[in-house]
Amino acid sequence: MLEKKETVPFSGTKEQEESLMKVIAELKGEKGALMPILQKAQDIYGYLPIEVQKMISDETGIPMEKIYGVATFYSQFTLNPKGKYQISVCLGTACYVKGSGDIYNALMEKLGIVGGECTPDGKFSLDACRCVGACGLAPVMMINGEVYGRLTVDDIDDILAKYE
Ligand code: FES
């Protein structure tokens, strides 16, 4: 099973592809080349969509299963792009006991994505995070680094509307 739901169409440029080919040409054949190739590929594209994994597989001869396995195993790699607005909900203990799980679920429902994904228009991505050191404001979420505290599910629409 190599297909994964893509939320944003792949839109790599020729320049990005050339940079990737250069990286592969430099590293291929070296032992353990896959990790550095994937790291550089993520630097170039910002994430590792199936299309990029396929290019790496074609150029290196490394099977897709192996590339997909490594890309999904290590948390440093992401298969989904980040949104223009990156929402991060704190699921640390203080926030969680004050209902941040409900906020997180409500955001998934409203945006139509699950954690780790990005909306198809590229606008919002959603992630959970650990304590951000603002427990006094629990439950907390951040949008591009801006902190929203003492949240209730009813606040979400108004907050999202600021970014529409
Ligand atoms: S647990 Fe959420 S800010 Fe500390």
Side-chain angles (χ1 to χ4, degrees):
M1 271 298 289
L2 292 175
E3 289 305 320
K4 187 173 185 300
K5 186 175 117 193
E6 284 293 331
T7 53
V8 177
F10 177 62
S11 61
T13 63
K14 199 87 211 127
E15 288 73 30
Q16 286 173 316
E17 190 173 334
E18 277 164 13
S19 305
L20 178 63
M21 291 306 141
K22 222 166 110 203
V23 165
I24 293 172
E26 274 165 23
L27 292 168
K28 114 170 143 179
E30 280 180 29
K31 207 166 170 281
L34 183 55
M35 281 299 276
I37 289 175
L38 290 178
Q39 280 157 350
K40 294 233 161 79
Q42 181 158 286
D43 288 345
I44 293 167
Y45 290 93
Y47 69 118
L48 294 174
I50 290 291
E51 291 83 352
V52 170
Q53 295 175 42
K54 180 91 174 53
M55 283 189 254
I56 295 171
S57 176
D58 289 347
E59 285 302 305
T60 59
I62 300 170
M64 272 299 278
E65 285 80 0
K66 174 138 195 237
I67 293 174
Y68 185 78
V70 171
T72 49
F73 182 78
Y74 293 97
S75 59
Q76 61 178 288
F77 297 125
T78 173
L79 272 60
N80 291 301
K82 291 292 169 208
K84 182 169 175 213
Y85 302 112
Q86 299 177 21
I87 305 175
S88 193
V89 178
C90 177
L91 294 183
T93 310
C95 287
Y96 194 78
V97 297
K98 294 230 168 156
S100 65
D102 294 339
I103 308 275
Y104 192 53
N105 288 336
L107 279 162
M108 287 198 266
E109 203 172 298
K110 283 178 195 297
L111 297 172
I113 54 175
V114 300
E117 287 187 344
C118 181
T119 53
D121 60 4
K123 202 151 189 192
F124 293 105
S125 55
L126 177 65
D127 285 291
C129 65
R130 291 170 192 229
C131 180
V132 293
C135 307
L137 297 176
V140 164
M141 76 171 177
M142 294 194 297
I143 302 183
N144 285 6
E146 185 163 349
V147 176
Y148 294 91
R150 303 204 173 94
L151 288 171
T152 67
V153 168
D154 292 339
D155 296 331
I156 294 174
D157 284 340
D158 284 348
I159 294 171
L160 291 182
K162 284 174 58 175
Y163 298 89
E164 295 293 352

